[in-house]
Amino acid sequence: MSAGTLDRQDERLNIGSGFRGELRSAAKSVRQGDIGSLPVIAGLIVVAIVFQTLNPVFLSSQNLVNLALQSTAIGVMAIGVVLVLLLAQIDLSIGSVNGFAAAILAVTFVQWQWPMWLALLVPLAVGAAIGAIYGLLYIRFGVPSFVITLGGLMAFLGFQLWSLGLNGSINIPFDSFIVRFTQASFLPDVVAYVLVAAIAVGYGASALRSAHRRARQNLSSASATGIYLRGALILVGLGALTWYMNTTRGVPVMFVLFLVLVAATGYALKRTRWGRAIYAIGGNEEAARRAGIHVSRVYMSVFVLSSFLAALGGLLAAGRLASANPSSGGGTTNLEAIAAAVIGGTSLFGGRGTASSAILGILVIESITNGLTLLNMDTSIRYIITGAVLLVAVVIDAISRKSRAAHGRA
């Protein structure tokens, strides 16, 4: 490779380098309709300021640990919702699958005395099988996912109630693995700090490698300065948050599991052929098919993952509550998982969104719920505010789509 080529690559890699360059690049993206996660992050900041002003307990270390614990079960479900929405599909049955998985765990472990590993494995396998059925019905018969999963919502709610039987509620022993994992498992301080450093270094290495690869292909890429700045912000921000949470109970292992699932999903979406196929199908299914993508396999895999993650969320929720009952997975669980994905930035129209949408969206929803609970506000207020936030998120998505389309025509 010639020196001139290397110089051009370095020049491309460092386009807009420096803090001002990063600001100019961000402003340009916003003007083009690519606003990313900015509205959600801004919303989180506003929520934190408002509730901290009204009740100083909101940002206390103890409450932040509680918020992390409360966010995990539905957050795991929201990851599956993100995948389904990226294909411009919907899964309305995740709440029922969640509750059914919790019921299977309680019945097999408590009543049938199965070993814990088997009582956890079976509901996960059932969740994956449910997703395979959805995928088969969609691929083979062309039944809309809305109709398929609506039927699943009612059917698996019935299976949940039938499994629980006349007792209605089954308590899971507090000394069982799933309860201890979801309620009393926290990272040692040193391990938490090592994890933060690994996240920051991993981000920097991955971003630099991606930037160099794009530069070699003569594509626009992030500047090295911007990558270093973001890596430093991740290190400082997560480090400070970890230190603060360690002043009380620490970082919940269950929440770390959620972050690992988000990271793994994000990597698969951005760095694998499967992930690129999901975006392609969500953008234009026919074009993806003509490009040689095996559309049916992608649909099947996404439906399976969505139901699997819904079942996993049900197991985590059952452990958190130490019980399974007819209301497990019910109420607004289903809608909150879908709302979290949309509020986090995943488009309802398909082809646009990231795995991190699950984190941002669920933090917004649970922060509102947590803050209103601390203020002793009525549940009706929480529903109204959450609905308004969801509506704003959809409007922002629609506006950004129009802006991107207009820029493309220009």
Side-chain angles (χ1 to χ4, degrees), residues 115-171:
M116 174 58 73
W117 67 269
L118 186 58
L120 292 174
L121 181 63
V122 168
L124 293 177
V126 170
I130 291 171
I133 294 172
Y134 291 163
L136 181 62
L137 291 174
Y138 181 81
I139 295 166
R140 183 64 63 87
F141 303 105
V143 182
S145 59
F146 178 91
V147 177
I148 297 172
T149 57
L150 181 60
L153 183 155
M154 294 183 286
F156 294 113
L157 175 59
F159 278 120
Q160 174 188 349
L161 298 177
W162 174 76
S163 300
L164 293 172
L166 297 177
N167 292 330
S169 180
I170 301 175
N171 294 325

Side-chain angles (χ1 to χ4, degrees), residues 51-138:
F51 284 124
Q52 178 65 15
T53 301
L54 296 175
N55 190 330
V57 174
F58 181 75
L59 290 180
S60 66
S61 175
Q62 183 74 19
N63 193 56
L64 290 182
V65 173
N66 289 335
L67 184 60
L69 290 169
Q70 294 164 6
S71 302
T72 301
I74 298 181
V76 168
M77 296 171 61
I79 299 174
V81 176
V82 169
L83 294 174
V84 173
L85 290 180
L86 285 175
L87 290 177
Q89 301 298 321
I90 191 68
D91 188 347
L92 297 177
S93 69
I94 51 176
S96 295
V97 174
N98 176 293
F100 186 34
I104 294 174
L105 167 65
V107 170
T108 56
F109 179 68
V110 177
Q111 294 187 345
W112 296 358
Q113 299 295 304
W114 285 11
M116 174 58 73
W117 67 269
L118 186 58
L120 292 174
L121 181 63
V122 168
L124 293 177
V126 170
I130 291 171
I133 294 172
Y134 291 163
L136 181 62
L137 291 174
Y138 181 81

Side-chain angles (χ1 to χ4, degrees), residues 248-303:
T248 51
R249 287 179 290 173
V251 179
V253 176
M254 182 172 67
F255 189 71
V256 174
L257 171 63
F258 172 41
L259 297 181
V260 169
L261 291 173
V262 170
T265 305
Y267 178 86
L269 287 174
K270 292 183 179 179
R271 302 304 177 94
T272 68
R273 183 178 301 176
W274 175 77
R276 291 189 290 271
I278 289 178
Y279 284 110
I281 294 170
N284 189 318
E285 180 180 333
E286 185 58 32
R289 183 176 285 107
R290 293 183 179 183
I293 295 175
H294 203 305
V295 175
S296 297
R297 291 180 182 176
V298 175
Y299 275 120
M300 177 64 76
S301 63
V302 168
F303 279 121

